[in-house]
Amino acid sequence: MDPIRLDSFDVFVAIVRCGGFRAAALERGISSSALSQTMNTLEEALGIRLLNRTTRSVFPTEAGQRLLERLAPALSDIRLAIAEVDELRDSPSGTVRINAPAPAADHFLCPLVFDFMEVYPDVKIEIISDAAVIDIVQQGFDAGVRFGKQLAQDMIALPLGATLRYAIVASPEYIRKFGQPQTPHELVDHQCIKRRFPGGTLVTWRFAEAGEEIEVTPTGRLTLSSAHNELQAALAGRGIAHVFDDYARPYVKNGQLVELLSDWSPALPHWFLYYPSRRLPSAAMRAFLDHMRNYDWEKAKS
């Protein structure tokens, strides 16, 4: 058997985890052709095909799957050994990969990361905005961010930022034309800007005031999939938007939007950053967690 480069196995695992050469190449910052050549060399050295390739997907052969099952813990041990060596450095290094929904990344994760990078110049950070629920370990992330504390039992969760609230907002122009609802019940007579989750379900609007709780299924002509687009529509006078207060606050402050039904807006849980309890975090990840625990969220918000 020809000599085999150990990093070829890491390439193989990355291609399977990412679901293809292009995604793995983007993750690693190299060309797809370079990864393809690495895989060809590995398969030739082993004398067996590890991947089945189609025009749309890549998946392991039986031999590839068996190799993958043995490689995953071995590569994990190698990363752990590197992390232990990294402990001896004056400053942590390496890459921290985090998966997070866009609102959490916009208002909490990015400010935290930008501050962290000033303190730890040798650590690289990769943030992937994604609202879908994924297996962060299988997808190669060090941590994820989700709303509320509804996570698997084998995860450790830390609150990310302050408590949240939704704001119901519309432009002054919209209010002049169509009036201002005084209770959530009156929203059925208005053009509400609907939002659809990646899975296909529509976002419902929840309200609470003096012990009364109301859930409203918004009605309106416009359906979008992001808070940024909802804000655009509200600013353009297209209807009433339901977005996190962090998105709306600057526009309410400068008069471009008006907050409605503020007495009906309940406090919500935090975002939570979570990571596997069974895996020892790398030195870079531990530094990030320590930085997060000591971060002044109120100062960052002001």
Side-chain angles (χ1 to χ4, degrees), residues 86 88-96 113 115-126 282-285 287:
D86 195 33
L88 302 177
R89 290 168 47 89
D90 293 334
S91 178
S93 65
T95 300
V96 175
V113 163
D115 189 69
F116 172 79
M117 294 175 74
E118 285 291 322
V119 181
Y120 296 94
D122 294 329
V123 177
K124 300 176 182 177
I125 302 287
E126 182 176 351
S282 67
M285 183 62 186

Side-chain angles (χ1 to χ4, degrees), residues 166 192-206 215-226 230 242:
Y166 275 106
C192 296
I193 302 164
K194 299 180 290 185
R195 181 163 14 118
R196 194 177 296 279
F197 286 124
T201 58
L202 287 171
V203 176
T204 56
W205 299 7
R206 293 181 174 86
E215 184 172 301
V216 175
T217 300
T219 58
R221 297 169 56 199
L222 182 61
T223 303
L224 301 167
S225 63
S226 79
E230 277 193 77
H242 168 268

Side-chain angles (χ1 to χ4, degrees), residues 167-171 193 231 234 239-243 248 252 257-260:
I168 307 299
V169 293
S171 69
I193 302 164
L231 274 177
I240 298 176
H242 168 268
V243 295
V252 172
L257 293 175
V258 176
E259 183 172 1
L260 313 173

